[in-house]
Amino acid sequence: MLATFFSLLLLSSATEQPMPLLLTGTLQSADKQTVVSPMSDTWRVQVQWLHPEDEPVKHGDLIAVFDAGNIKTQIEQLKSAIINHEERLNQLKSEHKQKVMEAEYELERRQLLLEKAGIDASVPLANLSAYDYEQYQLELKRARTESAKAAEQLAVARITAKSALSKQQLQLEQSQAELQDADVQLGQMSVIATQDGTISYGTHPWYGTKIYAGITAQPGWNIAELNRSDSLYIEAWVHETDIPRLQQHVFTARFDIAPQSPFPITLSEVARQGEKRQSWGNALYYKAVFMSERFPVSQPMLGMGLLIEVTQP
């Protein structure tokens, strides 16, 4: 039950005794795990399942599940894309390896022809006719040109192969990175308890109603809280004019469900800075924290309302 602050300061009674200050408090936990709706590929995500509030939670239990249908589809698509990228990479390796080998063979062949042409062109003119001599010189020039062209084609083949393989490798790595991110995102769709305790559902940030399984939430909403039962405290909001009355006073609390069982509490902390509560007016309210060594309720639940009585000693 959500507790709403109220503070009631009465005038002196007929016996001239000041009436106590009454505050509304709620039971909170100092050690809690907050379940937040995760980021998804859309701006909304459905809460598929929540651990029941009335059942205890153990460390390692599943406490919340969000809809991961789109993410699972994306993962399957990415796995298929990775297989295709790997197959294409192997295909390109084979194709470009063959082209580089052909270019290397062509260069080797042209170099041998250049060597042969060089031998023929080295024969002195005195031993040949003028026509044959000029033919050998022309063949040498042609062989040099063809050899240089073959070397250039080999260089181009190697650069082309490196570029194509690098591009395909980048596409593969990109898909692998996207798959890794999707796996992390899929893991966030199932929330595991990191401690023992009890779970309490959050409230809708727009309507103030309690969140339930099946609701569609936006990323960042507080869906639920898992609280330890051994680190409980009472939280209350105090009007700025009532702050002085918290000093050197006696505090007694009663659960709404057990008003016949008052128990002593102690003031642990008061916020140094007040806050405006939109629905309570323009005054400042200060958060006060109260502690108790025992509670009269056997199994206290987070969010339980209490009435706090502040009296003079």
Side-chain angles (χ1 to χ4, degrees):
M1 180 183 65
L2 290 176
T4 304
F5 167 83
F6 68 90
S7 126
L8 180 63
L9 181 59
L10 301 177
L11 299 176
S12 300
S13 65
T15 58
E16 300 297 330
Q17 292 295 327
M19 297 298 292
L21 171 67
L22 301 180
L23 305 172
T24 292
T26 55
L27 196 61
Q28 303 290 338
S29 174
D31 190 358
K32 59 186 178 182
Q33 176 187 357
T34 302
V35 179
V36 179
S37 52
M39 294 293 295
S40 66
D41 54 347
T42 61
W43 67 279
R44 295 189 302 175
V45 61
Q46 185 184 42
V47 183
Q48 283 193 333
W49 178 84
L50 288 172
H51 191 284
E53 285 186 302
D54 57 350
E55 296 181 6
V57 177
K58 297 295 184 181
H59 181 277
D61 287 350
L62 184 66
I63 56 177
V65 178
F66 297 91
D67 182 20
N70 293 337
I71 299 177
K72 291 180 179 178
T73 301
Q74 181 186 8
I75 288 176
E76 293 302 319
Q77 292 174 348
L78 288 171
K79 288 181 178 179
S80 177
I82 288 175
I83 293 175
N84 292 336
H85 289 321
E86 289 176 341
E87 291 178 350
R88 180 57 179 164
L89 181 61
N90 292 330
Q91 182 182 0
L92 288 174
K93 286 180 179 179
S94 177
E95 291 178 357
H96 286 283
K97 181 179 180 181
Q98 180 66 26
K99 290 180 180 180
V100 170
M101 290 177 61
E102 290 175 355
E104 289 175 342
Y105 171 77
E106 180 64 15
L107 175 60
E108 184 177 354
R109 188 175 74 86
R110 291 295 178 181
Q111 287 176 339
L112 291 175
L113 291 175
L114 174 61
E115 184 178 351
K116 177 180 179 299
I119 294 174
D120 292 339
S122 65
V123 177
L125 178 60
N127 298 332
L128 298 170
S129 64
Y131 175 81
D132 289 338
Y133 181 80
E134 292 298 330
Q135 279 293 110
Y136 289 149
Q137 299 302 317
L138 184 60
E139 288 294 333
L140 177 60
K141 291 180 181 180
R142 184 181 295 111
R144 286 173 178 169
T145 301
E146 294 297 331
S147 178
K149 186 183 297 184
E152 182 179 349
Q153 289 176 345
L154 175 59
V156 171
R158 286 173 174 170
I159 294 174
T160 302
K162 183 178 180 180
S163 176
L165 295 178
S166 297
K167 182 178 179 180
Q168 188 63 31
Q169 182 67 34
L170 287 175
Q171 291 179 346
L172 173 60
E173 292 175 356
Q174 180 180 356
S175 295
Q176 290 173 336
E178 291 176 357
L179 177 60
Q180 185 176 3
D181 291 341
D183 284 334
V184 172
Q185 192 174 359
L186 179 62
Q188 295 173 346
M189 295 297 167
S190 299
V191 183
I192 304 299
T194 58
Q195 61 185 20
D196 296 346
T198 57
I199 190 170
S200 58
Y201 299 164
T203 56
H204 197 291
W206 300 345
Y207 309 121
T209 56
K210 179 167 284 193
I211 286 177
Y212 55 90
I215 194 174
T216 299
Q218 292 188 14
W221 283 10
N222 288 338
I223 303 301
E225 289 182 350
L226 175 61
N227 304 276
R228 291 181 55 179
S229 58
D230 57 352
S231 58
L232 302 178
Y233 67 91
I234 301 170
E235 176 184 289
W237 291 89
V238 186
H239 192 282
E240 56 186 339
T241 60
D242 294 327
I243 291 297
R245 299 190 62 182
L246 299 181
Q247 304 301 322
Q248 298 180 350
H249 278 62
V250 176
F251 306 96
T252 305
R254 304 169 188 264
F255 279 101
D256 292 347
I257 62 172
Q260 74 284 359
S261 302
F263 59 98
I265 58 175
T266 57
L267 179 63
S268 174
E269 180 183 359
V270 178
R272 295 183 179 181
Q273 185 174 357
E275 300 180 21
K276 283 190 176 181
R277 314 295 287 182
Q278 186 174 3
S279 59
W280 297 349
N282 296 324
L284 293 178
Y285 294 84
Y286 290 76
K287 179 181 176 181
V289 175
F290 299 89
M291 307 296 293
S292 177
E293 295 182 357
R294 63 175 181 83
F295 294 107
V297 178
S298 59
Q299 293 182 343
M301 294 181 62
L302 275 297
M304 280 184 169
L306 301 99
L307 177 65
I308 301 172
E309 184 177 348
V310 183
T311 59
Q312 289 185 350

